[in-house]
Amino acid sequence: MQSSLARQLALPVRPGCADPGRLDRSGSLRLRCRAEAAPPASVARTGPYTGRDPEVKKPAWLRQRAAQGGKYARMRESLGELKLNTVCVEAQCPNIGECWNGGGGAGGEGDGIATATIMVLGDTCTRGCRFCAVKTSSKPPPPDPMEPLNTALAVVSWGVDYVVLTSVDRDDLPDGGSDHFVQTVRALKELKPGILVECLTSDFRGDLEAISSLANSGLDVFAHNIETVRSLQRIVRDPRAGYEQSLSVLKHAKNCKEGMITKSSIMLGLGETDEEVRQAMTDLRAIGVDILTLGQYLQPTDKHLTVREYVTPEKFQFWKEYGESIGFRYVASGPLVRSSYRAGELFVENLVRNQKAKPASSSS
């Protein structure tokens, strides 16, 4: 017997099929035959559906062990004592164990640099991007005036040489929170002059003065993510964000301070085409972006965008090689790579220090 939906849409039932099917994004009819198991009744499609069969399970390469280890435990305790937020926790990053353990994987200590991405300006965002797990509100609590100093004290106590600062969007603040970033960078540099600081910022609503202030605060890497290809911006990001605005942020940061290293990130698996990825990479290189990260989008809750495709490790390796071939100085590309993944690893640290050592006349 045809379902009520089939009767309403007058969709034909293919012989041998138990389900009349459904329309995909392109308007084409997709039929489900008896050989295909029907989705469990418990599957909730409350998030925007992008076309992937919800029955498909995550591939093995996306499975991570629960985070543990000595460095991880000490860093988590320190952050809690000083009431500091990290994007590692708030955004449910799958690499928290590996990064906090200095490359030793989720369960043990490594020989590398432990990297935590400190999230300043609170834990509540004024925007509602459809990929992000951070909580949102149009009126978040005011920034903690002691946060810049507390952040600097915590980071210096860890003995790290490279730190990443990021933030939620703060459209409720006149400068988007730029001055709060500036205070934090200056506190870090005052307490430990040799530390390298990367700031992964919002777009500050395109405020070029706010961008200039931060770029000239003493930070070493200015990062801002375009997140996805041009055609998917309105689906993936909050309407107040945009592809051209993000490119303008990165371009201005590059141009307002000689020698500034810029960085961006793209999520894959949202329905983008290879040509669109190539074009996004070309657009970033055209404005001088030095470092690029590419990673698999993973749906944080059933209210967020669903995954269209699980991109293979081999395809990520292809994008790494392609990115380096068109001039990026460093590309981190892999299913579990995120914006700040192993940001302080030796290659990136040396890249930044070598850039700082160049005479101003030869900086690009």
Side-chain angles (χ1 to χ4, degrees), residues 83-277:
K83 298 181 180 179
L84 298 177
N85 301 300
T86 69
V87 74
C88 319
V89 173
E90 300 299 329
Q92 304 174 18
C93 180
N95 302 310
I96 186 169
E98 182 177 357
C99 288
W100 287 19
N101 282 318
E109 299 195 13
D111 298 326
I113 299 171
T115 304
T117 302
I118 305 297
M119 192 165 73
V120 298
L121 291 165
D123 62 357
T124 306
C125 188
T126 55
R127 298 188 186 180
C129 295
R130 297 165 85 181
F131 65 89
C132 185
V134 174
K135 62 185 177 183
T136 64
S137 171
S138 60
K139 295 181 179 180
D144 177 3
M146 293 303 297
E147 188 175 58
L149 179 58
N150 284 340
T151 298
L153 290 171
V155 171
V156 170
S157 73
W158 298 335
V160 300
D161 297 315
Y162 195 110
V163 64
V164 182
L165 304 176
T166 191
S167 79
V168 292
D169 283 282
R170 292 299 302 255
D171 297 301
D172 59 315
L173 302 177
D175 66 349
S178 174
D179 186 60
H180 199 83
F181 264 109
V182 170
Q183 291 179 47
T184 308
V185 173
R186 288 177 176 166
L188 281 162
K189 294 288 186 174
E190 182 176 345
L191 292 175
K192 188 173 182 179
I195 196 169
L196 298 177
V197 182
E198 173 182 325
C199 289
L200 172 59
T201 78
S202 68
D203 58 20
F204 300 119
R205 300 188 302 274
D207 183 344
L208 299 185
E209 185 176 337
I211 297 163
S212 296
S213 176
L214 179 55
N216 288 285
S217 66
L219 86 164
D220 303 287
V221 178
F222 190 109
H224 173 69
N225 296 340
I226 62 170
E227 307 293 6
T228 187
V229 298
R230 186 190 295 270
S231 69
L232 295 177
Q233 293 283 316
R234 282 290 168 261
I235 297 173
V236 174
R237 304 175 76 188
D238 185 278
R240 286 164 286 187
Y243 192 79
E244 293 298 336
Q245 181 162 275
S246 288
L247 290 178
S248 72
V249 168
L250 289 161
K251 182 178 181 179
H252 188 72
K254 187 74 171 180
N255 292 339
C256 71
K257 182 186 176 184
E258 276 195 296
M260 175 61 70
I261 291 177
T262 52
K263 174 180 175 181
S264 195
S265 184
I266 302 172
M267 297 178 290
L268 301 183
L270 286 160
E272 66 287 332
T273 67
D274 285 359
E275 184 53 42
E276 287 177 319
V277 177

Side-chain angles (χ1 to χ4, degrees), residues 49-82:
Y49 186 58
T50 57
R52 181 183 63 83
D53 189 332
E55 298 171 58
V56 176
K57 295 181 179 180
K58 288 182 183 178
W61 63 75
L62 287 173
R63 295 169 192 161
Q64 279 278 50
R65 289 167 49 191
Q68 51 187 298
K71 286 184 179 178
Y72 168 83
R74 289 192 296 272
M75 191 172 287
R76 182 132 198 175
E77 182 180 4
S78 175
L79 290 164
E81 288 174 352
L82 290 170

